[in-house]
Short mmCIF file of all heavy atoms in Angstrom, two decimals:
data_model
loop_
_atom_site.label_atom_id
_atom_site.label_comp_id
_atom_site.label_asym_id
_atom_site.label_seq_id
_atom_site.Cartn_x
_atom_site.Cartn_y
_atom_site.Cartn_z
N LEU A 394 13.89 1.96 -4.05
CA LEU A 394 14.39 1.62 -5.38
C LEU A 394 15.73 0.94 -5.19
O LEU A 394 16.66 1.51 -4.62
CB LEU A 394 14.48 2.88 -6.25
CG LEU A 394 13.12 3.47 -6.60
CD1 LEU A 394 13.26 4.72 -7.45
CD2 LEU A 394 12.24 2.45 -7.33
N ASP A 395 15.80 -0.28 -5.65
CA ASP A 395 16.90 -1.15 -5.31
C ASP A 395 17.75 -1.42 -6.56
O ASP A 395 17.22 -1.55 -7.66
CB ASP A 395 16.29 -2.47 -4.79
CG ASP A 395 17.34 -3.47 -4.43
OD1 ASP A 395 18.39 -3.06 -3.92
OD2 ASP A 395 17.10 -4.68 -4.66
N HIS A 396 19.05 -1.50 -6.37
CA HIS A 396 19.93 -1.90 -7.48
C HIS A 396 19.87 -3.41 -7.64
O HIS A 396 20.11 -4.13 -6.67
CB HIS A 396 21.37 -1.48 -7.21
CG HIS A 396 21.59 -0.01 -7.30
ND1 HIS A 396 21.28 0.86 -6.28
CD2 HIS A 396 22.07 0.77 -8.31
CE1 HIS A 396 21.56 2.10 -6.64
NE2 HIS A 396 22.04 2.07 -7.87
N ILE A 397 19.58 -3.89 -8.83
CA ILE A 397 19.50 -5.33 -9.05
C ILE A 397 20.91 -5.93 -8.97
O ILE A 397 21.14 -6.87 -8.23
CB ILE A 397 18.81 -5.64 -10.40
CG1 ILE A 397 17.33 -5.24 -10.27
CG2 ILE A 397 18.93 -7.12 -10.75
CD1 ILE A 397 16.58 -5.17 -11.57
N VAL A 398 21.87 -5.36 -9.70
CA VAL A 398 23.28 -5.67 -9.44
C VAL A 398 23.78 -4.56 -8.51
O VAL A 398 23.64 -3.37 -8.80
CB VAL A 398 24.11 -5.69 -10.73
CG1 VAL A 398 25.58 -5.90 -10.41
CG2 VAL A 398 23.60 -6.77 -11.67
N GLU A 399 24.32 -4.99 -7.38
CA GLU A 399 24.65 -4.06 -6.31
C GLU A 399 25.53 -2.88 -6.73
O GLU A 399 26.49 -3.06 -7.49
CB GLU A 399 25.36 -4.85 -5.20
CG GLU A 399 25.00 -4.41 -3.82
CD GLU A 399 25.59 -5.36 -2.78
OE1 GLU A 399 25.61 -6.59 -3.04
OE2 GLU A 399 26.02 -4.88 -1.73
N PHE A 400 25.20 -1.73 -6.22
CA PHE A 400 26.00 -0.53 -6.43
C PHE A 400 27.28 -0.65 -5.61
O PHE A 400 27.25 -1.14 -4.48
CB PHE A 400 25.18 0.68 -5.96
CG PHE A 400 25.79 2.01 -6.29
CD1 PHE A 400 25.61 2.58 -7.54
CD2 PHE A 400 26.52 2.72 -5.33
CE1 PHE A 400 26.16 3.83 -7.84
CE2 PHE A 400 27.08 3.95 -5.62
CZ PHE A 400 26.89 4.51 -6.88
N ASP A 401 28.39 -0.27 -6.17
CA ASP A 401 29.67 -0.35 -5.44
C ASP A 401 30.11 1.06 -5.05
O ASP A 401 30.53 1.85 -5.90
CB ASP A 401 30.72 -1.02 -6.35
CG ASP A 401 32.03 -1.25 -5.62
OD1 ASP A 401 32.25 -0.61 -4.56
OD2 ASP A 401 32.84 -2.07 -6.12
N ARG A 402 29.98 1.36 -3.77
CA ARG A 402 30.26 2.73 -3.33
C ARG A 402 31.75 3.06 -3.48
O ARG A 402 32.11 4.21 -3.69
CB ARG A 402 29.83 2.94 -1.87
CG ARG A 402 28.33 3.08 -1.73
CD ARG A 402 27.94 3.16 -0.26
NE ARG A 402 26.48 3.08 -0.10
CZ ARG A 402 25.69 4.14 -0.17
NH1 ARG A 402 26.17 5.34 -0.39
NH2 ARG A 402 24.38 3.99 -0.01
N GLN A 403 32.62 2.04 -3.35
CA GLN A 403 34.06 2.29 -3.50
C GLN A 403 34.40 2.58 -4.96
O GLN A 403 35.23 3.43 -5.26
CB GLN A 403 34.88 1.08 -3.04
CG GLN A 403 34.52 0.51 -1.68
CD GLN A 403 34.51 1.59 -0.61
OE1 GLN A 403 35.38 2.47 -0.58
NE2 GLN A 403 33.51 1.55 0.27
N ASN A 404 33.74 1.84 -5.83
CA ASN A 404 34.06 1.96 -7.24
C ASN A 404 32.76 1.88 -8.07
O ASN A 404 32.45 0.85 -8.65
CB ASN A 404 35.02 0.83 -7.64
CG ASN A 404 35.54 1.00 -9.06
OD1 ASN A 404 35.04 1.82 -9.83
ND2 ASN A 404 36.52 0.18 -9.42
N PRO A 405 32.03 3.01 -8.11
CA PRO A 405 30.71 3.00 -8.75
C PRO A 405 30.74 2.56 -10.21
O PRO A 405 29.78 1.99 -10.71
CB PRO A 405 30.25 4.45 -8.64
CG PRO A 405 31.05 5.02 -7.53
CD PRO A 405 32.37 4.31 -7.56
N GLU A 406 31.85 2.79 -10.87
CA GLU A 406 31.92 2.43 -12.28
C GLU A 406 31.92 0.90 -12.45
O GLU A 406 31.38 0.36 -13.42
CB GLU A 406 33.16 3.05 -12.93
CG GLU A 406 33.13 2.91 -14.43
CD GLU A 406 33.84 4.04 -15.15
OE1 GLU A 406 34.37 4.96 -14.47
OE2 GLU A 406 33.88 4.00 -16.39
N ARG A 407 32.50 0.21 -11.48
CA ARG A 407 32.60 -1.25 -11.57
C ARG A 407 31.28 -1.91 -11.14
O ARG A 407 30.86 -2.92 -11.71
CB ARG A 407 33.75 -1.74 -10.68
CG ARG A 407 34.06 -3.22 -10.84
CD ARG A 407 35.15 -3.66 -9.90
NE ARG A 407 34.79 -3.34 -8.51
CZ ARG A 407 35.65 -3.31 -7.50
NH1 ARG A 407 36.93 -3.55 -7.71
NH2 ARG A 407 35.25 -3.04 -6.27
N GLY A 408 30.64 -1.38 -10.12
CA GLY A 408 29.41 -2.00 -9.60
C GLY A 408 28.22 -1.78 -10.53
O GLY A 408 28.37 -1.27 -11.64
N GLY A 409 27.04 -2.22 -10.08
CA GLY A 409 25.82 -2.01 -10.86
C GLY A 409 25.52 -0.53 -10.95
O GLY A 409 25.69 0.20 -9.98
N TRP A 410 25.09 -0.07 -12.11
CA TRP A 410 24.84 1.35 -12.30
C TRP A 410 23.41 1.73 -11.91
O TRP A 410 22.52 0.89 -11.89
CB TRP A 410 25.09 1.74 -13.77
CG TRP A 410 26.53 1.66 -14.16
CD1 TRP A 410 27.59 1.48 -13.33
CD2 TRP A 410 27.06 1.73 -15.49
NE1 TRP A 410 28.77 1.44 -14.05
CE2 TRP A 410 28.47 1.60 -15.39
CE3 TRP A 410 26.50 1.90 -16.76
CZ2 TRP A 410 29.31 1.63 -16.50
CZ3 TRP A 410 27.34 1.94 -17.86
CH2 TRP A 410 28.73 1.80 -17.73
N THR A 411 23.26 3.03 -11.68
CA THR A 411 21.93 3.55 -11.37
C THR A 411 21.25 3.92 -12.70
O THR A 411 21.21 5.08 -13.09
CB THR A 411 22.05 4.77 -10.43
OG1 THR A 411 22.84 4.39 -9.30
CG2 THR A 411 20.69 5.24 -9.95
N ILE A 412 20.77 2.88 -13.37
CA ILE A 412 20.12 3.07 -14.68
C ILE A 412 18.84 2.25 -14.69
O ILE A 412 18.67 1.35 -13.87
CB ILE A 412 21.03 2.61 -15.84
CG1 ILE A 412 21.54 1.18 -15.55
CG2 ILE A 412 22.19 3.57 -16.04
CD1 ILE A 412 22.37 0.59 -16.67
N GLN A 413 17.97 2.53 -15.63
CA GLN A 413 16.64 1.94 -15.61
C GLN A 413 16.65 0.41 -15.54
O GLN A 413 15.88 -0.19 -14.80
CB GLN A 413 15.83 2.39 -16.82
CG GLN A 413 14.35 2.07 -16.61
CD GLN A 413 13.50 2.54 -17.77
OE1 GLN A 413 13.99 3.18 -18.68
NE2 GLN A 413 12.22 2.24 -17.72
N THR A 414 17.56 -0.22 -16.31
CA THR A 414 17.56 -1.69 -16.33
C THR A 414 18.16 -2.30 -15.07
O THR A 414 18.08 -3.51 -14.88
CB THR A 414 18.34 -2.22 -17.54
OG1 THR A 414 19.62 -1.56 -17.57
CG2 THR A 414 17.60 -1.99 -18.83
N ASN A 415 18.78 -1.48 -14.24
CA ASN A 415 19.40 -2.05 -13.03
C ASN A 415 18.71 -1.58 -11.75
O ASN A 415 19.23 -1.79 -10.66
CB ASN A 415 20.89 -1.70 -12.99
CG ASN A 415 21.65 -2.55 -11.98
OD1 ASN A 415 21.44 -3.77 -11.93
ND2 ASN A 415 22.47 -1.92 -11.16
N ILE A 416 17.55 -0.93 -11.90
CA ILE A 416 16.85 -0.41 -10.73
C ILE A 416 15.45 -1.00 -10.69
O ILE A 416 14.80 -1.09 -11.73
CB ILE A 416 16.71 1.14 -10.83
CG1 ILE A 416 18.07 1.80 -10.81
CG2 ILE A 416 15.83 1.69 -9.74
CD1 ILE A 416 18.62 2.01 -9.44
N GLY A 417 15.02 -1.41 -9.53
CA GLY A 417 13.64 -1.92 -9.42
C GLY A 417 13.08 -1.61 -8.05
O GLY A 417 13.82 -1.47 -7.09
N PRO A 418 11.74 -1.49 -7.96
CA PRO A 418 11.12 -1.22 -6.66
C PRO A 418 11.11 -2.49 -5.80
O PRO A 418 10.82 -3.57 -6.30
CB PRO A 418 9.69 -0.81 -7.02
CG PRO A 418 9.42 -1.48 -8.33
CD PRO A 418 10.73 -1.60 -9.04
N ARG A 419 11.46 -2.34 -4.56
CA ARG A 419 11.40 -3.47 -3.64
C ARG A 419 10.93 -2.93 -2.30
O ARG A 419 11.48 -1.95 -1.80
CB ARG A 419 12.78 -4.12 -3.52
CG ARG A 419 12.76 -5.62 -3.60
CD ARG A 419 14.15 -6.17 -3.50
NE ARG A 419 14.82 -6.12 -4.79
CZ ARG A 419 14.82 -7.12 -5.66
NH1 ARG A 419 14.21 -8.24 -5.37
NH2 ARG A 419 15.44 -7.00 -6.80
N CYS A 420 9.90 -3.58 -1.74
CA CYS A 420 9.40 -3.11 -0.46
C CYS A 420 10.48 -3.34 0.60
O CYS A 420 11.42 -4.11 0.38
CB CYS A 420 8.11 -3.83 -0.09
SG CYS A 420 8.34 -5.56 0.30
N ARG A 421 10.36 -2.67 1.74
CA ARG A 421 11.35 -2.75 2.79
C ARG A 421 11.69 -4.20 3.14
O ARG A 421 12.85 -4.61 3.22
CB ARG A 421 10.80 -2.02 4.02
CG ARG A 421 11.72 -1.23 4.89
CD ARG A 421 13.02 -0.87 4.32
NE ARG A 421 13.12 0.39 3.61
CZ ARG A 421 13.13 1.59 4.18
NH1 ARG A 421 13.02 1.71 5.47
NH2 ARG A 421 13.23 2.68 3.45
N LEU A 422 10.64 -5.00 3.30
CA LEU A 422 10.81 -6.40 3.69
C LEU A 422 11.67 -7.16 2.67
O LEU A 422 12.66 -7.81 3.02
CB LEU A 422 9.44 -7.06 3.80
CG LEU A 422 9.43 -8.56 3.97
CD1 LEU A 422 9.64 -8.92 5.42
CD2 LEU A 422 8.14 -9.16 3.46
N HIS A 423 11.29 -7.06 1.40
CA HIS A 423 12.00 -7.84 0.39
C HIS A 423 13.35 -7.23 0.05
O HIS A 423 14.28 -7.94 -0.31
CB HIS A 423 11.11 -8.00 -0.86
CG HIS A 423 9.93 -8.89 -0.59
ND1 HIS A 423 8.62 -8.50 -0.81
CD2 HIS A 423 9.87 -10.14 -0.08
CE1 HIS A 423 7.82 -9.48 -0.45
NE2 HIS A 423 8.55 -10.49 -0.01
N HIS A 424 13.46 -5.91 0.21
CA HIS A 424 14.75 -5.26 0.04
C HIS A 424 15.72 -5.80 1.08
O HIS A 424 16.86 -6.16 0.79
CB HIS A 424 14.58 -3.74 0.18
CG HIS A 424 15.78 -2.96 -0.25
ND1 HIS A 424 15.82 -1.60 -0.26
CD2 HIS A 424 16.99 -3.37 -0.69
CE1 HIS A 424 16.99 -1.20 -0.68
NE2 HIS A 424 17.73 -2.26 -0.94
N ASN A 425 15.22 -5.90 2.30
CA ASN A 425 16.06 -6.37 3.40
C ASN A 425 16.54 -7.81 3.17
O ASN A 425 17.70 -8.13 3.41
CB ASN A 425 15.27 -6.26 4.72
CG ASN A 425 16.12 -6.64 5.91
OD1 ASN A 425 17.26 -6.21 6.02
ND2 ASN A 425 15.58 -7.46 6.79
N LEU A 426 15.64 -8.67 2.67
CA LEU A 426 16.03 -10.06 2.43
C LEU A 426 17.15 -10.15 1.40
O LEU A 426 18.02 -11.01 1.46
CB LEU A 426 14.83 -10.88 1.93
CG LEU A 426 13.71 -11.10 2.93
CD1 LEU A 426 12.61 -11.93 2.29
CD2 LEU A 426 14.23 -11.79 4.18
N LYS A 427 17.12 -9.22 0.44
CA LYS A 427 18.15 -9.22 -0.58
C LYS A 427 19.45 -8.64 -0.03
O LYS A 427 20.53 -9.18 -0.25
CB LYS A 427 17.67 -8.43 -1.79
CG LYS A 427 18.69 -8.40 -2.90
CD LYS A 427 18.11 -7.83 -4.17
CE LYS A 427 19.21 -7.57 -5.17
NZ LYS A 427 19.86 -6.27 -4.93
N THR A 428 19.33 -7.54 0.73
CA THR A 428 20.50 -6.92 1.32
C THR A 428 21.23 -7.92 2.23
O THR A 428 22.45 -7.96 2.27
CB THR A 428 20.09 -5.68 2.13
OG1 THR A 428 19.26 -4.87 1.30
CG2 THR A 428 21.28 -4.88 2.58
N ARG A 429 20.45 -8.74 2.97
CA ARG A 429 21.04 -9.73 3.86
C ARG A 429 21.58 -10.93 3.09
O ARG A 429 21.99 -11.92 3.69
CB ARG A 429 20.00 -10.23 4.86
CG ARG A 429 19.42 -9.17 5.74
CD ARG A 429 20.31 -8.91 6.91
NE ARG A 429 19.68 -8.00 7.83
CZ ARG A 429 20.28 -6.96 8.38
NH1 ARG A 429 21.55 -6.72 8.11
NH2 ARG A 429 19.65 -6.17 9.21
N LYS A 430 21.45 -10.90 1.79
CA LYS A 430 21.93 -11.97 0.92
C LYS A 430 21.22 -13.29 1.19
O LYS A 430 21.75 -14.37 0.95
CB LYS A 430 23.45 -12.17 1.06
CG LYS A 430 24.25 -10.89 0.90
CD LYS A 430 25.23 -11.01 -0.24
CE LYS A 430 26.12 -9.79 -0.42
NZ LYS A 430 25.45 -8.50 -0.44
N LEU A 431 19.98 -13.22 1.71
CA LEU A 431 19.20 -14.44 1.89
C LEU A 431 18.56 -14.85 0.56
O LEU A 431 18.46 -16.02 0.23
CB LEU A 431 18.11 -14.23 2.95
CG LEU A 431 18.63 -14.08 4.38
CD1 LEU A 431 17.53 -13.59 5.30
CD2 LEU A 431 19.17 -15.40 4.88
N TRP A 432 18.12 -13.85 -0.20
CA TRP A 432 17.51 -14.12 -1.51
C TRP A 432 18.38 -13.47 -2.57
O TRP A 432 18.95 -12.41 -2.35
CB TRP A 432 16.10 -13.53 -1.57
CG TRP A 432 15.09 -14.24 -0.73
CD1 TRP A 432 15.13 -14.39 0.63
CD2 TRP A 432 13.91 -14.91 -1.17
NE1 TRP A 432 14.04 -15.11 1.06
CE2 TRP A 432 13.27 -15.44 -0.02
CE3 TRP A 432 13.33 -15.11 -2.42
CZ2 TRP A 432 12.08 -16.15 -0.11
CZ3 TRP A 432 12.13 -15.82 -2.49
CH2 TRP A 432 11.52 -16.34 -1.35
N ARG A 433 18.48 -14.11 -3.73
CA ARG A 433 19.24 -13.54 -4.84
C ARG A 433 18.30 -13.15 -5.97
O ARG A 433 17.25 -13.76 -6.14
CB ARG A 433 20.25 -14.55 -5.37
CG ARG A 433 21.41 -14.81 -4.42
CD ARG A 433 22.48 -15.65 -5.07
NE ARG A 433 22.02 -17.02 -5.33
CZ ARG A 433 21.93 -17.56 -6.53
NH1 ARG A 433 22.22 -16.85 -7.61
NH2 ARG A 433 21.53 -18.81 -6.69
N THR A 434 18.71 -12.15 -6.72
CA THR A 434 17.89 -11.67 -7.84
C THR A 434 18.77 -11.44 -9.05
O THR A 434 19.87 -10.92 -8.91
CB THR A 434 17.26 -10.32 -7.48
OG1 THR A 434 16.48 -10.48 -6.32
CG2 THR A 434 16.36 -9.82 -8.60
#
Side-chain angles (χ1 to χ4, degrees):
L394 292 179
D395 179 36
H396 289 81
I397 292 167
V398 175
E399 217 172 323
F400 188 83
D401 185 342
R402 284 175 189 274
Q403 311 307 319
N404 187 349
E406 191 150 359
R407 188 183 56 196
W410 292 350
T411 307
I412 51 176
Q413 194 178 355
T414 50
N415 195 45
I416 296 276
R419 225 179 278 268
C420 69
R421 217 17 90 74
L422 170 83
H423 291 125
H424 192 177
N425 184 45
L426 292 181
K427 181 169 169 277
T428 310
R429 300 277 187 226
K430 308 239 183 312
L431 290 168
W432 289 61
R433 289 188 292 118
T434 301

